[in-house]
Amino acid sequence: MRLKALVPWGFLAPAVIVFTALGIWPIVRTVVLSLTNTVGTRGDGAFIGLENYVRLAGDRYFLEAFQHTVIWIVFNLTVPVALALFLALMLNRAVQSKVLKTMFFIPLALSAPAIATIWTFIYQQDTGLIDVVLNAVGLGQLQQQWLGPDWVLLSLMIAGAWRETAFFMVIFLAGLTSVPEELVEAARIDGANRRQVFRHVTIPALRPATMIVMSSAFIGALLTTDLVLAMTKGGPFGQSDVLGYRMYVVSFFNGEFGYGAAIGVVIAVIAAAFVIPYLLRMNRMQEEEN
């Protein structure tokens, strides 16, 4: 049978055009831009090869932002993911689950500026919620400059985790609906306790949801910009600078679009290096189980 009879090319052509225009072309354009010294809106700069990437290797601000991003990724792959799974398991069993689910879902409905405003108030020195509570319980000596150099990165990660946990919890709750009740009952009849049921029945059934959560956690931490921009603008002294914000500053404040594009390419390569092997491995494990 002829290939044209199998594939509706006339139907697929618009989709291919849109995908190329909105997906492939921007990537190609960014890579090309990263190989130039384009500054501002004066048009394409001169071709300089890999000079922007060589410059990145010696850029102290970029390297510090890279280090902070790695810390944020590790935090995002552990704390909010584990907390979201715990909450999903608890809410899945709760009697008044609809009310509780709505409460925990609220952070996901808030915009980044709203979240930044809330957590800036919480972290405010002396008059912020944390310091007020510490004073009220007689632990005023534990007060800190929560957005100061020593604590700012952790404070931002916690604020981000508040939002991420809500999103991950929703995904895990959806995944829990796919856990076969008959397998759970069979495992209990065979004498399995809760831990064994969770390990051998629930976890395998949650693998697709876990794949989405882990990929989202990694990419979300890698691209973090909004909270940093709204709360600290990379400060104080660059202690909260991350790759996404560094790319934003270089491109739109300094006007170095070629150099900013190089940072964007590095971010894309890091994302692909993690997400693609992870997805392939999870798919392989899923196929082996089936």
Side-chain angles (χ1 to χ4, degrees):
M1 186 178 295
R2 295 180 61 185
L3 185 60
K4 289 184 178 180
L6 296 174
V7 182
W9 293 109
F11 176 77
L12 291 177
V16 173
I17 294 173
V18 171
F19 177 73
T20 302
L22 301 181
I24 297 178
W25 173 243
I27 295 175
V28 174
R29 185 73 181 90
T30 301
V31 173
V32 172
L33 188 62
S34 73
L35 302 176
T36 69
N37 60 356
T38 301
V39 176
T41 57
R42 297 177 300 181
D44 293 341
F47 178 80
I48 58 174
L50 299 177
E51 287 186 21
N52 283 328
Y53 297 96
V54 174
R55 178 183 169 188
L56 285 177
D59 186 342
R60 177 173 65 88
Y61 298 106
F62 170 80
L63 295 177
E64 288 181 353
F66 181 83
Q67 180 182 1
H68 297 156
T69 301
V70 170
I71 295 172
W72 201 311
I73 289 172
V74 174
F75 180 89
N76 223 37
L77 288 174
T78 52
V79 176
V81 172
L83 183 58
L85 179 57
F86 173 77
L87 290 174
L89 292 171
M90 294 301 101
L91 293 178
N92 196 48
R93 301 171 182 171
V95 176
Q96 301 295 333
S97 61
K98 290 185 178 180
V99 176
L100 294 174
K101 287 175 184 177
T102 302
M103 291 176 57
F104 284 108
F105 184 78
I106 288 176
L108 191 57
L110 298 177
S111 64
I115 293 174
T117 301
I118 292 171
W119 282 92
T120 299
F121 166 73
I122 291 174
Y123 290 138
Q124 192 170 2
Q125 192 172 5
D126 297 328
T127 58
L129 180 61
I130 295 178
D131 284 358
V132 169
V133 171
L134 289 176
N135 274 327
V137 298
L139 296 175
Q141 68 276 12
L142 297 180
Q143 290 183 349
Q144 302 288 337
Q145 291 184 353
W146 303 109
L147 295 178
D150 296 330
W151 291 88
V152 62
L153 188 61
L154 178 60
S155 297
L156 287 175
M157 291 190 298
I158 291 173
W162 185 59
R163 176 179 58 182
E164 297 290 334
T165 299
F167 175 55
F168 300 158
M169 182 196 68
V170 171
I171 297 176
F172 279 132
L173 280 171
L176 286 172
T177 61
S178 66
V179 178
E181 285 295 331
E182 59 273 14
L183 289 183
V184 175
E185 292 300 326
R188 289 174 178 170
I189 292 174
D190 289 339
N193 55 35
R194 286 187 176 181
R195 182 179 299 179
Q196 291 170 327
V197 170
F198 177 73
R199 178 181 178 183
H200 297 289
V201 178
T202 305
I203 289 296
L206 282 178
R207 188 162 289 145
T210 303
M211 180 169 59
I212 297 173
V213 167
M214 295 298 284
S215 300
S216 300
F218 183 91
I219 295 175
L222 186 62
L223 298 179
T224 295
T225 303
D226 47 8
L227 284 180
V228 176
L229 177 63
M231 293 180 68
T232 64
K233 293 182 172 58
F237 312 116
Q239 293 303 306
S240 62
D241 199 0
V242 291
L243 288 181
Y245 181 73
R246 175 65 14 203
M247 178 179 63
Y248 172 79
V249 169
V250 167
S251 300
F252 298 104
F253 277 85
N254 300 346
E256 299 180 84
F257 289 108
Y259 191 47
I263 299 177
V265 171
V266 170
I267 293 174
V269 169
I270 294 173
F274 171 85
V275 173
I276 293 176
Y278 177 74
L279 294 179
L280 292 176
R281 180 173 177 272
M282 294 296 287
N283 286 332
R284 192 181 309 115
M285 293 175 64
Q286 193 76 19
E287 291 175 357
E288 289 175 355
E289 288 183 357
N290 295 334

